[in-house]
C-alpha cells in the first residue's frame, strides 16, 4: 500500500546548502512504527517552498503522530518546517501535521528531532497531550564521574517512545555532565502515557569518557509535580561497572 507524503517546507534563505536528508517516522496505536526516508531520488515535485513526495510503506494503521529528524551535516544552518500532509492513496484518508518550527541547533529550540500529533479532518488533534518533558541526568560524586562525551537518551512509555535524542543544551549553567551535578534538558514528545523505561548512553568521545550515573528523573513539564525516577548508581563505562556505554533503566 502506497502513501503520499506532501511536505511543505520553508527553507532558510541565508542557507545555500542543499536540501538535507530527513527521516519521517509514523507512530500508530497497534502496529508500532513505520518510516519513510526522503532523499532527492524520491522527490516528485520540487520548488523553493515545498516538496511533494510519494513513498511506499506497509499498512500504518491509525497514525497519531510523526517524528521528523534531520541530519546535522557540516555547514547546514537548519530549516523551517511548516507542515506535513499525509494521504492514503487507496482510501483517500488524509492527516495533517501542523509543525511550524525550526530544526536547527543554533536557534531557540536547538533540536534536530521533533514530534507532531496528527490533526484529523475535523481539526481535532489526536492525542491531545503534547509535552516538553524535563529530563534530568544526575551525575555521582566519585572521582572521574564526569564525562565530556555526547550523551543520548530515549524515553519509553505505554504509547511508544521518543526515539534517540542527543542531550544538547542543559537548563543549568556550566559544563554538562560534571561530577556531583544535575543537568536538565527539554525533550518534546507526543503522549507517551505512563513512562516505563529509559535507555541512556554516550558515544565514548574524549579521554575518560565513562560516567558514573546516579539516576535519571523525568517530569512531564517544568511545572509538573509528577516525576518518574530511573535509578542506576553505576558506571556507564566499557571498563568499569556495567562494562557498557549504554544501558536500559526501568522506573521504580
Amino acid at each position: 500500500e502506497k502513501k503520499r507524503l506532501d511536505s511543505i517546507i520553508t527553507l532558510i534563505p541565508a542557507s545555500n546548502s542543499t536540501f538535507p536528508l530527513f527521516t519521517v517516522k509514523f507512530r500508530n496505536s497497534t502496529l508500532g512504527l513505520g518510516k519513510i526516508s526522503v532523499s532527492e531520488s524520491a522527490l516528485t515535485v520540487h520548488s523553493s517552498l515545498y516538496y511533494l513526495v510519494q513513498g511506499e510503506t506497509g499498512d500504518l494503521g491509525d497514525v497519531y503522530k510523526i517524528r521528523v529528524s534531520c541530519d546535522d551535516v557540516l555547514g547546514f544552518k537548519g530549516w523551517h518546517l511548516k507542515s506535513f500532509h499525509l494521504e492514503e492513496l487507496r482510501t483517500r484518508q488524509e492527516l495533517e501535521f501542523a509543525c511550524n518550527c525550526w530544526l536547527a541547533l543554533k536557534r531557540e529550540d536547538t533540536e534536530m528531532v521533533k514530534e507532531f500529533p496528527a490533526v484529523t479532518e475535523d481539526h481535532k488533534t489526536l492525542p491531545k497531550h503534547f509535552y516538553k518533558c524535563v529530563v534530568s541526568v544526575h551525575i555521582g560524586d566519585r572521582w572521574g564521574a564526569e564525562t565530556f562525551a555526547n550523551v543520548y537518551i530515549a524515553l519509553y512509555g505505554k504509547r511508544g517512545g521518543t526515539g534517540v535524542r542527543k542531550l544538547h543544551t542543559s537548563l543549568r549553567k556550566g559544563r554538562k555532565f560534571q561530577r556531583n551535578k544535575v543537568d536538565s534538558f527539554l525533550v518534546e514528545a507526543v503522549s507517551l502515557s505512563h513512562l516505563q523505561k529509559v535507555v541512556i548512553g554516550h558515544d565514548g568521545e574524549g579521554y575518560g569518557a565513562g560516567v558514573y550515573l546516579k539516576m535519571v528523573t523525568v517530569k512531564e513539564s517544568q511545572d509538573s509535580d509528577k516525576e518518574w525516577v530511573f535509578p542506576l548508581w553505576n558506571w556507564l563505562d566499557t571498563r568499569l561497572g556495567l562494562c557498557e556505554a549504554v544501558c536500559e533503566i526501568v522506573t521504580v
Side-chain angles (χ1 to χ4, degrees), residues 1-7 26 36 52-57 60 63 84-97 121:
E1 295 179 352
K2 292 184 177 180
K3 309 282 177 179
R4 191 178 75 206
L5 177 69
D6 301 343
S7 56
F26 306 89
I36 293 179
L52 176 62
V53 181
Q54 179 171 305
E56 295 184 3
T57 73
L60 294 177
V63 176
F84 271 94
H85 174 86
L86 175 66
E87 180 183 343
E88 162 66 69
L89 294 183
R90 180 174 57 83
T91 64
R92 298 298 179 184
Q93 181 182 4
E94 299 184 9
L95 286 175
E96 296 285 345
F97 300 90
E121 293 179 356

Side-chain angles (χ1 to χ4, degrees), residues 64-66 68 81 97-99 101 114-118 130 190:
Y64 68 85
K65 74 174 181 180
I66 63 171
V68 184
L81 177 62
F97 300 90
C99 306
C101 70
K114 293 281 188 177
E115 287 193 352
F116 307 100
F130 181 83
V190 175

